[in-house]
Structures are given as structure tokens and as C-alpha cells.
Amino acid sequence: MTLAVAALAVSNASAQDKNLSTLQRMGNTATNMNIPVVPQEGKNADAIRANLKKVKLPDGFKIDLYAVVPDARYMAVAPSTNMLFVGTRKTTVWAVTNRNNGDAATEVKAFAPSIKFSNPNGVCFTKDGFLVVAESNRIMHFPAAEYFYEGPDVAVDMVVPEGKLIPVEEQSFNHTGRVCKVDKDGKIFVTMGQPYNVQPKDKVELYEQLGIGGVLRFNGLDGSGRTVYSKGMRNPAGISIGPKGDIWATDNQVDGLGDDIPPGELNKLTKAGEHFGFPYYNGRFKVAGSAAAPDLKDMKEPAGAIYPQVEFPAHQAQLGLTHYTGKAFPAKYQGGLFVASHGSWNRSTPSGYLINYVPIKADGTAGPSEVFADGFLDKTTGRALARPVDVANLPDGSILVSDDYAGALYRISYVGN
């Protein structure tokens, strides 16, 4: 990078920081009103559609390309219009619009390009239409995002200002893709991965106090009432709140202990203050004192540690999940959980790259997991065709799956036998 280019980058960043304060007082910025759109047809889209022919689904289901969305991560379906917002681990939040109410999006463009985003991985909606965007160390909200998205200037305010979600000295590039959900009472839940494979001994107590390696809860859009709702997690990478208020979260496991241990986790969160065992346990595997955490050999088992409802095969990296709230799928899927597996990066034989289905039984516990969508990994070459990140409900009863590898959203619908 030349000095001139570096100076321009600093200048642009400074302008975008200034833009944020301008937008908070409902002012106008000088950002170009013409926001480029992402091409939805062409060679790339055709190649993605060809890859989808290899995906295996239960009888009666089909999968189609819904939208080309670069680096697509977590999704928030808008409550009032036929659109959704998609986070990334980079600097863009995407606005995805379906203007003709068809079976695919018609337009994809950057949301609020006048703002400098930093790892806006998590997006979620309040029931009254406020879009919440969770970054590594900041949480913002956007009133009426689905109406302001047409231009670069949007109404915005802070839930948690920059540098106040975690201490700046604890910031990291690792495991800091936050995910958020809002319950029916307006409380905001945010997942907080801890940045190490296993945190060192001198960080265990600190992280439990801060909620790093757990789930935080805020009273609402003003950011008040910060509570460490859950602790004892390594990297909670997805969260879903069901229609009955039940809260479920995935948790990724420790690396470096072999192909088949420890398991991935699906946990049920029932009340504030619960401890899910990490770093003493990962699933039912004892991490403390293992090769991944020798300095924790004298650690005491956390009192009342809660084991997972479901243990997934090791290193499949379960990320986003959602309760299926539609009526279009067969009855066995209604009310259960769809869970996206991003796929392994460190197994001798790749594993994952799929969607699981987990039923929720009448007593509120999880039934056995089953593979719902497979084939995102080419078994012949061992290469990924897609890496599922998140699952979301569409109003018509179909579901969307995001993929940050091919940069796309896929629509899975039920057409009958």
C-alpha cells in the first residue's frame, strides 16, 4: 500500500466516523446516493446453482439460489417488508430485497454505506422493527431500517458504544463474531465468544465476570441492565429464541485434541446465571488438564455445570440455528430447530458442511439430531462447495441458509412428494 492510498484510507475512515455522529442527529452526509447492487445473474450464479444440484434433502424438499450475497453470515428477516438484512465478518451489512414476492431476491446492496462497520456479524430485529447490529465491540440499532435502506443515510443510535462491550485490551480477531436475538419483551441477547482455544488460568474468572465466553442480556435498545445471562462457554456461535420463549445456543469446541473430541454443543438456556462447564468441560469431555489446557489441571469443576442437550460430531462447527415457525414443512419439523454446520477446518477427513434438524419434545428437551441437508462438501475432491452459517424463516414457510464461502443465500422449500 502506497502512502497516498494509506492516507486516503485513513481519511475515509475518519469521514465515516464523523458520519455516524451526523446520522445520530438526523443530519445528511455527503455519501453518494447511488449504491451499487450485487449482480444476481451470470457465470457465478450459474456455478452456484450447479453446485446445489449435489445437495441431498428429504423427499419433497428442494433447494434453490435465493440471492448472491458476498460473505453472507447471519440473517435478520424484516417484520414488515419482503426483505432481510445479512451481516458479514468484514465491513458490510447487506440489504436483500424481494420486490416481486417471488422465490428469489431481486436486489442486493450495502446497507448504510455512510457508516464504518467493523465485523457486523450479528443482525436481529425487535418485534417493532428496529434492526440491531452487533459488532466485535459495539452494538447499534437502526429504527425503520427497512424503509431507510434505499439511501446511504439512515437513522442510527447506540445500544453499546464502541469499546464498551468488552474491555479494549481483551479485543481480538478470534471468536468475536457476535450474534444477537431479541425476545418478546425487547431484551437483547448477545453471544460472546472468548478469543483463545482455551483461555489461560488468569483469564477464567475475569471472563466469567465480563460474560466473555457466554451470553449477555440487555434490557433493550438503551443498553441498560447488562447481565451475564450464561457463562461457561467457549464460542457460542448461534442463538435462537422460540415462540414459547425457549432459548437455545450452539457452542464450538476445543481444537487440537484429535479428530473426534470434544463434541460440538447445543445448549438450552433456561435462566440467568447458568454455567455450561467450559473451560473445565467441553460437552462431557474434561478439557482442564488436557493437552489443550495443561495449566488448568488443578481447576475445580464448576458447581451445577449443565451438560449439552445435544452433542454433535467433533469439529463440524455448528453456527446459526433457528426454530422452525412455518407451517409449510411436514408436521415433524414444526417447532424444531434447524442448525447450520459450517464444516471442519482441522480434521484429517473433512466433516460437517450440512444442516441438522433437532426436534424439541413435548417436555421442552431436545430429541436426537438428524442430518437434514447434506452435500455441501464434495466427497470426491474433499473440497467445500458451500459453508452454511445461519438459518432463517421466510414468511411463506420456506427457510433460508446463508453461506459465507460461495457468498450466497439458499432457499429450501417443501413441494410435496
Side-chain angles (χ1 to χ4, degrees):
M1 181 182 291
T2 66
L3 290 177
V5 172
L8 179 61
V10 172
S11 175
N12 288 341
S14 178
Q16 287 181 309
D17 288 339
K18 183 179 178 181
N19 286 349
L20 183 57
S21 61
T22 299
L23 294 173
Q24 285 181 277
R25 57 178 175 80
M26 303 299 285
N28 293 110
T29 71
T31 307
N32 191 330
M33 294 291 289
N34 296 310
I35 305 173
V37 298
V38 177
Q40 294 299 300
E41 296 298 338
K43 187 175 180 179
N44 179 51
D46 292 343
I48 292 172
R49 291 189 180 97
N51 286 337
L52 291 180
K53 293 178 181 179
K54 301 177 182 179
V55 175
K56 300 176 180 65
L57 293 162
D59 289 344
F61 288 90
K62 70 171 185 174
I63 185 168
D64 299 290
L65 176 63
Y66 186 79
V68 176
V69 183
D71 311 305
R73 294 283 290 178
Y74 291 82
M75 300 175 284
V77 177
S80 301
T81 57
N82 202 17
M83 67 175 302
L84 67 148
F85 294 84
V86 183
T88 69
R89 288 194 295 187
K90 295 185 177 178
T91 57
T92 304
V93 174
W94 297 105
V96 180
T97 311
N98 184 344
R99 295 188 185 277
N100 61 18
N101 200 37
D103 56 6
T106 55
E107 181 186 80
V108 177
K109 65 183 182 182
F111 170 67
S114 58
I115 294 176
K116 179 188 176 185
F117 289 106
S118 178
N119 194 9
N121 183 70
V123 290
C124 55
F125 268 105
T126 66
K127 64 180 180 180
D128 50 354
F130 286 68
L131 176 68
V132 177
V133 176
E135 300 179 311
S136 294
N137 207 356
R138 176 176 67 178
I139 305 175
M140 294 181 283
H141 72 83
F142 299 85
E146 52 188 313
Y147 297 100
F148 282 114
Y149 81 97
E150 292 282 18
D153 293 344
V154 297
V156 59
D157 209 345
M158 291 296 130
V159 179
V160 179
E162 178 65 42
K164 300 298 183 182
L165 188 59
I166 60 173
V168 173
E169 59 270 20
E170 297 299 334
Q171 283 188 213
S172 170
F173 61 86
N174 199 32
H175 298 164
T176 51
R178 315 302 181 196
V179 184
C180 64
K181 283 293 186 295
V182 185
D183 71 8
K184 59 183 175 57
D185 296 323
K187 290 184 171 60
I188 302 172
F189 293 77
V190 181
T191 63
M192 301 288 291
Q194 61 84 24
Y196 296 90
N197 186 32
V198 181
Q199 63 264 50
K201 185 176 182 179
D202 63 350
K203 298 285 187 181
V204 174
E205 184 177 355
L206 173 66
Y207 283 5
E208 290 190 358
Q209 292 173 352
L210 295 172
I212 299 175
V215 176
L216 296 179
R217 184 184 66 187
F218 299 91
N219 286 339
L221 296 174
D222 64 355
S224 66
R226 175 180 174 138
T227 300
V228 178
Y229 190 78
S230 301
K231 54 190 174 181
M233 300 179 178
R234 178 177 178 268
N235 181 28
I239 187 169
S240 182
I241 303 177
K244 298 179 181 179
D246 51 322
I247 305 172
W248 298 73
T250 56
D251 191 13
N252 293 169
Q253 67 275 34
V254 172
D255 297 314
L257 293 173
D259 277 358
D260 301 314
I261 54 173
E265 299 185 20
L266 176 63
N267 292 304
K268 185 177 183 182
L269 287 53
T270 58
K271 61 183 179 180
E274 291 174 321
H275 197 297
F276 289 89
F278 192 78
Y280 189 86
Y281 287 121
N282 207 168
R284 287 174 170 78
F285 178 84
K286 185 181 175 184
V287 172
S290 71
D295 66 325
L296 299 181
K297 61 182 176 62
D298 297 324
M299 180 181 179
K300 293 183 179 179
E301 180 178 356
I306 298 171
Y307 291 125
Q309 290 272 322
V310 174
E311 292 188 352
F312 295 105
H315 308 301
Q316 290 188 347
Q318 285 71 32
L319 300 185
L321 70 163
T322 194
H323 289 74
Y324 180 66
T325 56
K327 301 297 182 184
F329 288 8
K332 69 166 284 186
Y333 297 105
Q334 294 176 21
L337 289 163
F338 286 103
V339 185
S341 164
H342 202 222
S344 62
W345 63 270
N346 59 346
R347 291 187 88 253
S348 56
T349 301
S351 179
Y353 309 90
L354 50 81
I355 305 296
N356 284 104
Y357 173 71
V358 178
I360 298 177
K361 297 185 289 189
D363 65 358
T365 61
S369 172
E370 62 184 66
V371 174
F372 174 74
D374 198 2
F376 296 109
L377 178 73
D378 188 321
K379 299 295 176 64
T380 302
T381 65
R383 295 292 187 263
L385 303 175
R387 301 196 73 187
V389 175
D390 194 21
V391 187
N393 292 278
L394 285 179
D396 66 358
S398 62
I399 60 173
L400 290 181
V401 176
S402 62
D403 168 14
D404 64 352
Y405 182 70
L409 306 183
Y410 310 126
R411 178 175 176 262
I412 298 178
S413 58
Y414 184 70
V415 294
N417 292 316

